């Protein structure tokens, strides 16, 4: 995914723009900083609704460049999000993501209804529904295997679930623990196949 410009990135672009104009980019010292009254007296008088000339005002040019970069990044991010959502909606497997310790649902695709025979809203309303639908004879060993995910980082299990009409279905559950650069869990992502 295309990342949004960070504050440091914005400052870097602003510095590059200022350097391109051969003007050093440094905040004025306290001695160099004019008082508010001095700034108001020396400020150019502009009429509301008129724009500054970017060729004569490097700060305006740099600001406009930053706005354009931000607009382009936002468009690219929106396009990427739409593309990913379209891809995930066409997959026949359940794609899901939860917070590692609270198991708060972060994402789930529409295939949930085909694989589990239940709506997405049922899973959102009941965080334990994933465990509740496991066949009673499989629940204990599946729950024990799920606890191992934090040490193994990955799982590939096959077990039975029960649909609302009590029909048994076999699913394959592939689960991945996602960590940050320090190894701290940040997400659990999974794929469920009927």
């Amino acid at each position: 995914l295309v990342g949004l410009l960070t504050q440091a990135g914005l400052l870097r672009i602003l510095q590059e723009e200022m350097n391109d104009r051969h003007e050093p980019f440094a905040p004025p010292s306290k001695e160099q900083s004019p008082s508010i009254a001095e700034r108001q007296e020396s400020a150019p008088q502009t009429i509301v609704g008129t724009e500054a000339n970017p060729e004569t005002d490097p700060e305006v040019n740099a600001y406009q460049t930053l706005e354009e970069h931000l607009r382009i990044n936002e468009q690219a991010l929106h396009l990427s999000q739409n593309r990913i959502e379209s891809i995930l909606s066409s997959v026949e497997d359940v794609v899901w993501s939860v917070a590692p310790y609270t198991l708060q649902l972060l994402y789930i695709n529409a295939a949930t209804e085909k694989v589990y025979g239940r709506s997405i809203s049922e899973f959102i309303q009941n965080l334990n529904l994933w465990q509740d639908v496991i066949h009673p004879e499989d629940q204990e060993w599946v729950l024990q295997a799920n606890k191992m995910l934090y040490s193994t980082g990955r799982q590939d299990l096959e077990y039975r679930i029960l649909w609302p009409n009590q029909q048994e279905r076999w699913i394959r559950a592939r689960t991945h623990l996602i960590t940050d650069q320090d190894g701290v869990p940040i997400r659990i992502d999974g794929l469920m196949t009927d």
Side-chain angles (χ1 to χ4, degrees):
L1 293 175
V2 177
L4 293 175
L5 291 175
T6 63
Q7 199 170 28
L10 292 173
L11 284 174
R12 184 185 50 76
I13 291 170
L14 183 58
Q15 287 173 338
E16 288 172 4
E17 288 294 320
M18 297 301 282
N19 288 340
D20 287 348
R21 302 214 178 286
H22 306 292
E23 298 174 18
F25 180 77
S29 67
K30 203 168 193 177
E31 296 80 33
Q32 295 172 326
S33 225
S35 69
I36 294 175
E38 290 171 328
R39 279 188 260 156
Q40 287 175 343
E41 288 174 12
S42 66
Q45 299 299 315
T46 58
I47 300 171
V48 175
T50 62
E51 295 183 14
N53 183 351
E55 292 180 17
T56 59
D57 191 345
E59 290 177 12
V60 171
N61 188 26
Y63 180 76
Q64 289 173 342
T65 301
L66 289 174
E67 280 186 330
E68 180 64 16
H69 285 291
L70 184 58
R71 186 185 64 74
I72 290 168
N73 280 347
E74 285 175 345
Q75 287 176 343
L77 178 61
H78 184 69
L79 179 63
S80 291
Q81 287 173 331
N82 287 343
R83 188 176 299 130
I84 288 171
E85 185 60 38
S86 174
I87 291 167
L88 292 175
S89 294
S90 67
V91 174
E92 293 183 8
D93 297 336
V94 176
V95 178
W96 57 270
S97 184
V98 296
Y101 299 108
T102 64
L103 302 182
Q104 175 188 3
L105 190 60
L106 303 174
Y107 179 83
I108 189 170
N109 70 342
T112 304
E113 295 178 20
K114 290 180 181 177
V115 174
Y116 282 90
R118 290 175 164 79
S119 69
I120 292 173
S121 63
E122 289 178 77
F123 284 96
I124 292 171
Q125 292 169 2
N126 180 0
L127 296 180
N128 293 322
L129 189 56
W130 296 103
Q131 297 167 357
D132 296 345
V133 300
I134 299 172
H135 191 283
E137 293 175 13
D138 295 342
Q139 272 189 355
E140 186 61 35
W141 74 265
V142 170
L143 295 178
Q144 290 303 319
N146 285 341
K147 291 178 184 176
M148 296 298 296
L149 177 65
Y150 289 92
S151 59
T152 62
R154 293 178 174 259
Q155 280 185 334
D156 193 341
L157 307 173
E158 287 189 31
Y159 55 88
R160 294 170 290 175
I161 61 168
L162 294 175
W163 272 38
N165 64 5
Q166 298 306 303
Q167 177 186 10
E168 282 185 23
R169 303 287 286 260
W170 281 91
I171 64 166
R172 179 180 181 194
R174 289 168 282 178
T175 309
H176 303 278
L177 181 66
I178 309 300
T179 60
D180 66 12
Q181 62 192 15
D182 297 323
V184 176
I186 57 174
R187 229 177 41 243
I188 300 172
D189 295 342
L191 187 67
M192 308 297 218
T193 306
D194 189 359

